[in-house]
Amino acid sequence: MYIVQVASECAPVIKAGGLGDVVYGLSRQLESQGHCVELILPKYNNMRYDHIWGLHQAYLGLSVPWYGGAIDCTVHCGWVHGRLCFFIEPHSSDMFFDRGTYYGCDDDPMRFAFFSKAALEFLLQSNKRPDVIHCHDWQTGLIPVMLYEMYQYSGMEYQRVLYTIHNFKHQGFGGSEILWATGLNREEHYFHYDRLRDNFNPFSLNFMKGGIVYSNYVNTVSPHHAWEAHYGTCSFGLGDTIHRHQQKFCGILNGVDYGIWNPETDTHIPHPYSLSTFEDKGINQKALRERLLLRMANKPIVAYVGRLDDQKGVHLVHHAMYYTLNRGAQFVLLGSATDRQTNDWFWHEKRFLNDNPDIHLELSFNEELAHLIYAGADLMVVPSNFEPCGLTQLIAMKYGTVPIVRGVGGLVSTVFDWDYDPNHPPEERTGFVFYETDNYALESALNRALDLYYNEPKVFQQLALQGMQYDYSWRNPAVEYVEIYDLIRHKWD
Ligand code: ADP
């Protein structure tokens, strides 16, 4: 099958979070199963060019209709660790992707509306006719809309769309200017509750809603989160839309690319280790302490790796730092904040704790350091408010780092509590789970974890080894994706 992934991220060249990992990992797995996969991405000026091989101009003079005129684009082509990627570079005074950042600009909806339009124009003009266009998150929500409303009439009538929602919190909003810019026009048609009109703000178009309404199939990134979005409070206002389209909605658990995240082969860590050489994890722990100037001590290291965003339960991350120190353990944090207030807060903490030899806060995005932390830490906290799937707990387990998670979304389906899990016997359990959002809930789980570490180190190690044995690779999820690709490819023929 010929599949084109259209996304705003692909690790490691463009990565702000799990979306990048998923786009890369799924593509690699699909290719290894014999499918032809290509990726279309924006050509950001701040992406990691050192991870692209053979970058060259592949398509000159791509003219993308825009606001009644057109923007001229160059499409560059290169390989990102073996994946064939097309990067769209618009030549316009808007400098859509030359902002030094992937997201966070006031005109993000316009930037990604343009990207979506340009991706379709590229497919059309270069005569690429994939069986499936796989779109990801709000940034590409307009692709199925434009495909169905416009491009199917210009030669793309057989292309089908799977739309994957990685995070319902970010939906992409815009007004009628989006319609005029993209050439969709017809305000009265699109400002309808059955189409793109936001369910709560009548003056706004909702990109993600458009993606759900117009795609041939929609999924989110774990079955439990699909349930939460449909019946619970996790859809950020799109529950009704999902309900109306429930016959084409499901959840598929994310995988982890074990070609990248594997302690046996990881080139970012000083010493490889596996189930049978688990004691060598200690060498990486020592290296982590050296790198972050932590005191050499016989204490557990608790870590947090992730965005410092309200979604991630930052108040609990903050509490975990101090609680860990109080319990005589060490804490390492690697995270970057998206909003100013959280950023200031953690910078304040960083300065305040600067001389403490038992804690290090690294407030940046650092892929290489993340590998060392997964390998060197003993415990990983993931206290999310909501978590569509979560990759940190999956990666942590692969590295024998025991996760402590809040029981939501994909976390509840992947981490099984050591002390109590009605569905998994002790030999299948992998971590510690708590449910409430208050400090006491986190403390109880963290306490249980640290008690086990201090009082029964052999049992704690056994728990870490159990997590390492799970297969959360892309092998099974990719099969599920192919089933959906096949379904939509044949259903509408
Ligand atoms: P989300 O997609 O919500 O950010 P996930 O758990 O699905 O969360 O994926 C997070 C991914 O991003 C993981 O690969 C994690 O290691 C990585 N990551 C998050 N923050 C950082 C950071 N500051 N530095 C390096 N890697 C990070």
Side-chain angles (χ1 to χ4, degrees), residues 15 17-18 21 305-307 312 334-335 364-366 374 390-392:
K15 173 168 167 176
D21 288 311
V305 176
R307 291 181 294 117
K312 300 291 178 183
L334 170 62
S364 64
F365 191 94
N366 188 328
Y374 285 115
L391 295 180
T392 37

Side-chain angles (χ1 to χ4, degrees), residues 20 54 72 74 86 94 118 201 248 282 352 387 469 473:
D72 190 46
T74 302
F86 293 95
D94 292 311
N201 179 353
K248 58 169 189 179
F352 179 67
E387 194 58 78
Q469 286 169 57
S473 71

Side-chain angles (χ1 to χ4, degrees), residues 182-196:
T182 53
L184 284 165
N185 303 329
R186 296 193 293 155
E187 272 191 61
E188 65 301 338
H189 183 69
Y190 295 106
F191 268 100
H192 189 287
Y193 284 110
D194 286 346
R195 298 191 183 88
L196 270 71

Side-chain angles (χ1 to χ4, degrees), residues 97-108:
F97 307 120
D98 298 333
R99 308 284 180 87
T101 178
Y102 303 137
Y103 312 121
C105 306
D106 289 343
D107 62 344
D108 276 359

Side-chain angles (χ1 to χ4, degrees), residues 34 70 133 144 169 178 196 216 222 240 248 328 373 389 424-425 460 480:
I133 305 174
K169 188 179 172 189
I178 298 285
L196 270 71
N216 302 101
S222 69
D240 178 60
K248 58 169 189 179
I373 294 175
C389 177
H424 296 86
F460 183 87
E480 291 185 57

Side-chain angles (χ1 to χ4, degrees), residues 298-310:
N298 192 14
K299 301 169 169 204
I301 298 182
V302 181
Y304 173 80
V305 176
R307 291 181 294 117
L308 294 170
D309 181 281
D310 191 44

